[in-house]
Amino acid sequence: MIYNLIIYLYLLGVAIYSRFNEKVRKMWRGERAAFGVLKEKVDPQAKYVWFHAASLGEFEQGRPLMERLRKEHPEYKILLTFFSPSGYEVRKNYEGADIICYLPLDTPINAIRFLRLVRPVMAFFIKYEFWYNYLHILKHRNVPVYSVSSIFRPDQVFFKWYGRQYGRVLNCFTHFFVQNEISKELLAKIGITNVSVVGDTRFDRVLQIKEAAKQLKEIEYFCQYNIADDPDDDEIFLACAGFTPPKGVFVAGSSWPPDEDIFIRYFLERKLFGYGKWKLIIAPHVIDESHLAQIEQKLNGYKVVRYTKWDCYSFESADVLIIDCFGLLSSIYHYGDVAYVGGGFGVGIHNLLEAAVWDVPVFFGPNNQKFQEAQGLKKSGGFEIHDYDEFARQMDRFTSDADYRKEQGRLAGQFVKSLAGATEKVLDDITL
């Protein structure tokens, strides 16, 4: 079969490329080590529910289901597998799963060996995961398999004449829980009707994240957040005494250089920095010294501090705060009045919902066509920009009209809340 030939060629390519690329090397080693992990940790008497996520984004989509299932059905153990190091390396110590490992590449031998070790009682594949050999063996063993938060488009291989043979993999799923009606209609055209439109579980996840958000003392110093909100906190109040809160806080999350060229230029040209003016928080997607130094160079002449260099007196007088570590962004959006989510001028936009859930208007670049949440936010507090001039026109209105800014933020937050509930719909439809 052509699929298996491609998989073996891919496997050879990974083995060669792993000698030159650290990320690929981690994946190669992790896949080879997976069987040892399973032999050591699998309890042959336990009933395992298997969740597979390609990377970190898909993990976040599956996480609400994992946590609800773990809470409400403790009789099951959870196996979580990843394909990409960007998922596994970040979540390898996640406490919501009993076993976490890489998924060995989808060769017939790997799939047979893996499923003999685990013997899952059901499986959840998140969004785009359609591994032919694993899925056919699961179907042969009558194991229920669910596709969650999946989304389909006409240009996908399943709907092309040359993809008909591979498209049979879709018949292995017990049920599809898709994000939109278009996906349901496309599947119906190729005879697949075991489909429910439930939306995207990420909406549930960002609401969970909001509830568990951290209070960040360092960010509060920078924003002089507590002057009016908590004057009884002597330490913060005294450190900020005599300072006027900024007119607004702009949070740029997961930014890349093309994004930074736009919003940094705006802040410099409009002279928004200074006493009682705006503050800028930048959480770049790539955190390495060369990129951080590049941002600082663009802001030459203004007071810039890095998060890990915490000092209350420098923070309170700084114009710009650079977040030079991971894990804080979803909580930092809480302190913003306007947000910018990067990636839209290159790899594709990052997580818009983490910002919008905090009732702030959100900017993003044009590479967003494959992101349903972006299409919805364009009508509800989200603003697609194609260049500096578009950004400047809209940002001028935000800086001059606080009521308008707050209303657009309210619409963004309402959009997120209105589409929550996919997790509940999935659990209502499966048999546990």
Side-chain angles (χ1 to χ4, degrees):
M1 181 183 175
I2 294 177
Y3 174 84
N4 286 328
L5 175 61
I6 293 172
I7 288 292
Y8 281 116
L9 290 173
Y10 178 81
L11 187 61
L12 176 62
V14 168
I16 296 171
Y17 194 42
S18 66
R19 297 176 178 269
F20 310 100
N21 184 282
E22 177 64 23
K23 182 176 179 179
V24 175
R25 186 157 52 250
K26 287 181 179 179
M27 182 177 72
W28 170 245
R29 290 174 177 172
E31 289 180 1
R32 295 174 70 188
F35 290 116
V37 172
L38 295 174
K39 285 181 179 179
E40 177 187 349
K41 295 187 175 182
V42 167
D43 177 357
Q45 305 303 316
K47 295 185 293 184
Y48 284 92
V49 177
W50 174 24
F51 284 84
H52 177 64
S55 190
L56 188 59
E58 290 78 11
F59 163 78
E60 292 294 337
Q61 288 177 294
R63 185 170 177 170
L65 279 171
M66 281 186 275
E67 294 182 352
R68 281 284 301 276
L69 189 147
R70 192 174 185 85
K71 179 180 178 181
E72 298 177 9
H73 296 276
E75 67 272 22
Y76 295 108
K77 288 185 179 292
I78 292 177
L79 165 67
L80 170 62
T81 59
F82 288 98
F83 178 73
S84 168
S86 59
Y88 175 80
E89 295 299 329
V90 176
R91 294 302 181 192
K92 59 187 176 183
N93 297 316
Y94 171 59
E95 295 181 353
D98 298 282
I99 303 174
I100 303 173
C101 65
Y102 282 92
L103 179 67
L105 202 61
D106 188 28
T107 66
I109 293 174
N110 280 349
I112 292 169
R113 187 180 176 193
F114 180 93
L115 292 170
R116 279 179 178 171
L117 283 169
V118 179
R119 298 188 181 277
V121 296
M122 70 180 68
F124 293 86
F125 284 61
I126 311 301
K127 199 172 182 178
Y128 290 133
E129 295 302 281
F130 307 105
W131 296 107
Y132 194 93
N133 293 307
Y134 283 106
L135 286 165
H136 275 84
I137 295 171
L138 288 167
K139 181 177 176 62
H140 179 73
R141 295 183 177 184
N142 294 316
V143 177
V145 183
Y146 304 99
S147 178
V148 177
S149 290
S150 44
I151 188 166
F152 293 90
R153 299 181 305 276
D155 61 350
Q156 288 173 305
V157 65
F158 312 112
F159 311 109
K160 305 293 185 181
W161 64 268
Y162 53 80
R164 289 174 184 170
Q165 184 179 24
Y166 175 66
R168 294 172 187 165
V169 71
L170 300 180
N171 294 312
C172 297
F173 285 93
T174 306
H175 203 85
F176 290 88
F177 296 99
V178 299
Q179 293 189 31
N180 57 26
E181 288 289 343
I182 294 173
S183 297
K184 183 176 181 179
E185 292 167 5
L186 285 169
L187 290 171
K189 288 180 180 179
I190 58 174
I192 295 175
T193 57
N194 51 329
V195 182
S196 299
V197 180
V198 300
D200 190 344
T201 50
R202 281 185 304 164
F203 288 87
D204 301 326
R205 177 60 189 148
V206 293
L207 288 170
Q208 287 181 342
I209 291 172
K210 182 179 180 182
E211 290 296 318
K214 305 169 185 175
Q215 183 178 6
L216 302 172
K217 177 184 66 175
E218 298 86 351
I219 306 298
E220 294 185 356
Y221 269 92
F222 175 74
C223 299
Q224 293 148 30
Y225 182 81
N226 284 62
I227 287 180
D229 292 350
D230 190 11
D232 293 329
D233 189 328
D234 292 338
E235 182 183 9
I236 296 178
F237 180 73
L238 289 174
C240 297
F243 286 85
T244 301
K247 285 186 178 179
V249 177
F250 186 96
V251 179
S254 300
S255 63
W256 294 78
D259 305 302
E260 292 148 10
D261 287 341
I262 289 175
F263 62 76
I264 289 177
R265 175 185 169 188
Y266 178 83
F267 272 75
L268 296 180
E269 289 190 357
R270 295 297 194 272
K271 296 179 169 53
L272 291 184
F273 296 129
Y275 181 80
K277 295 185 178 181
W278 280 67
K279 297 233 177 185
L280 173 59
I281 301 175
I282 305 174
H285 184 74
V286 176
I287 298 176
D288 59 34
E289 185 56 36
S290 63
H291 189 197
L292 299 178
Q294 182 185 65
I295 295 172
E296 291 171 336
Q297 181 59 38
K298 291 175 182 177
L299 290 157
N300 188 33
Y302 292 90
K303 187 166 183 182
V304 181
V305 294
R306 298 189 187 185
Y307 183 84
T308 58
K309 306 296 183 182
W310 159 242
D311 175 281
C312 67
Y313 298 105
S314 63
F315 269 45
E316 67 192 15
S317 59
D319 300 307
V320 183
L321 173 61
I322 298 177
I323 309 300
D324 56 343
C325 59
F326 293 108
L328 301 177
L329 181 57
S330 59
S331 296
I332 289 173
Y333 283 124
H334 166 51
Y335 299 97
D337 295 286
V338 180
Y340 184 115
V341 175
F345 287 93
V347 297
I349 52 171
H350 297 290
N351 196 332
L352 297 177
L353 302 180
E354 282 188 343
V357 74
W358 288 107
D359 297 337
V360 294
V362 185
F363 285 105
F364 49 90
N367 187 4
N368 61 65
Q369 290 75 24
K370 295 181 180 180
F371 299 85
Q372 292 295 301
E373 66 275 21
Q375 310 317 310
L377 277 171
K378 288 178 188 179
K379 306 172 186 177
S380 306
F383 297 86
E384 177 188 82
I385 58 165
H386 295 82
D387 53 34
Y388 172 79
D389 291 334
E390 279 189 345
F391 174 80
R393 282 194 297 271
Q394 185 59 48
M395 190 62 188
D396 280 345
R397 188 168 182 188
F398 284 150
T399 58
S400 62
D401 189 342
D403 290 338
Y404 169 73
R405 185 176 72 228
K406 290 177 182 177
E407 174 60 15
Q408 293 304 310
R410 186 193 67 79
L411 290 173
Q414 182 57 41
F415 169 75
V416 176
K417 297 178 185 71
S418 69
L419 292 176
T423 301
E424 192 75 37
K425 293 173 184 176
V426 172
L427 290 174
D428 283 346
D429 279 1
I430 65 176
T431 301
L432 291 165

